[in-house]
Every structure is written in C-alpha cells, then in structure tokens.
C-alpha cells in the first residue's frame, strides 16, 4: 500500500489506483472531503469491493469513521466528467459534487444549487430526473447522467452493506 500526502491529509492508495487517479483529481477529492466534513486531517482508504468499478474509499479521522467517498465518471454530451458522492456512515448522501467537467455545454450540473437536491437521499429514495430531481435546461444529458450515477452509487452501497462488505 502506498501513502500519498497532501498537506495534512494522507491518501492511502494501492499503487494501481494511484495510476488511475490523476494528481489534479486527487486534490479535488481532498478538497471536497475537507470542506464537506469540515476537517483538516483525515484518511481516505480504498475499499476493494467487487460491485464497484470506480473508486470507493472510507473516510476516517482520529475520532473514527466519517463516511464514504465514491469517486466515479459519468457521461456528458461528448466527454466524461468526474464526480464524487460523499456518504454518511448510514449511507445517506452528505454531498454530491462534480469535480472535473470537460465541456463548455452543460456546466450547470456543477452548481451546488442543483446538486443539493441529492443531500440526505438514500437507496430507498426515488431519484427520478424531471420528478424528484429537477431538470436543467441546456444540461439535459449531463443532468440525467449525474442523476442516474448517483442512484447507482446508492444502490451499489446498499448492496455492499447487505453483503457485509462495508
């Protein structure tokens, strides 16, 4: 296991994960966790779970486990964008954030005004784009993709919890 240090945070990663997560994305992930959990010192420890194609981390501090970070990619109109879903230990969304968006069209999905709709949601909640989750004019593809991705994260986390993997 390799330790990657960013200021006061230690990101624990296996060497193969280090190759897949760029330094820029690692820094954005660090910032999202630090601001969302209002903590300076924490560890992100990767979980190896067979149901997860992306990156799943436990977030912990000296006080114990703070939750989970799910780092994934979703489709926009022509490119993929990177996002993180931060979850409580009870598997409810603490925050969803678009970390790197690679197109000019559809950037509205990165606004916290739209993303805050996901806060507090769990696997039993209906996340229907255009229903419970507001549609965004000019960002339909990205917003649908983000909504679907968040729902899939919740379902994967619930499946891992049911299997006793987390």
């Amino acid at each position: 296991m390799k330790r990657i240090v960013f200021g006061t945070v230690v990101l624990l990663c296996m060497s193969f994960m280090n190759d897949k997560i760029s330094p820029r994305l690692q820094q954005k992930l660090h910032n999202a966790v630090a601001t969302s959990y209002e903590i300076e010192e924490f560890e992100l420890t990767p979980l190896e779970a067979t149901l997860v194609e992306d990156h799943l981390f436990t977030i912990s501090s000296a006080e114990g486990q703070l939750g989970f970070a799910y780092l994934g990619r979703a489709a926009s109109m022509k490119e993929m964008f990177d996002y993180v879903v931060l979850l409580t230990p009870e598997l409810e969304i603490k925050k969803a954030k678009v970390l790197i968006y690679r197109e000019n069209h559809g950037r509205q999905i990165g606004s916290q005004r739209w993303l805050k709709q996901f806060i507090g949601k769990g696997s039993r909640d209906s996340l229907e784009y255009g229903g419970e989750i507001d549609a965004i004019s000019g960002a339909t593809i990205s917003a649908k993709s983000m909504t679907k991705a968040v729902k899939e994260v919740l379902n994967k986390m619930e499946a891992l919890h049911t299997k006793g993997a987390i």
Side-chain angles (χ1 to χ4, degrees), residues 28-69:
K28 288 185 174 283
L29 174 60
H30 162 261
N31 292 342
V33 171
T35 57
S36 298
Y37 289 89
E38 298 177 354
I39 192 163
E40 290 182 28
E41 295 185 27
F42 60 89
E43 289 184 0
L44 294 174
T45 307
L47 288 174
E48 294 181 48
T50 58
L51 297 175
V52 180
E53 302 84 29
D54 299 313
H55 302 291
L56 175 60
F57 302 91
T58 58
I59 306 167
S60 56
S61 70
E63 290 80 36
Q65 184 179 359
L66 301 172
F68 300 93

Side-chain angles (χ1 to χ4, degrees), residues 131-152:
E132 186 173 287
I133 303 300
D134 294 335
I136 301 178
S137 179
T140 304
I141 294 169
S142 299
K144 280 183 179 179
S145 182
M146 183 66 177
T147 302
K148 180 181 176 189
V150 169
K151 183 62 178 171
E152 287 175 0

Side-chain angles (χ1 to χ4, degrees), residues 32-33 35-38 59 66-68 85-89 91-96 112 115-116 118-121 154:
V33 171
T35 57
S36 298
Y37 289 89
E38 298 177 354
I59 306 167
L66 301 172
F68 300 93
V85 178
L86 302 173
L87 300 124
T88 67
L91 304 182
E92 291 182 350
I93 295 175
K94 182 167 182 70
K95 185 169 193 170
Q112 282 306 305
L115 289 168
K116 72 180 180 184
F118 297 108
I119 295 173
K121 303 294 185 199
L154 291 171

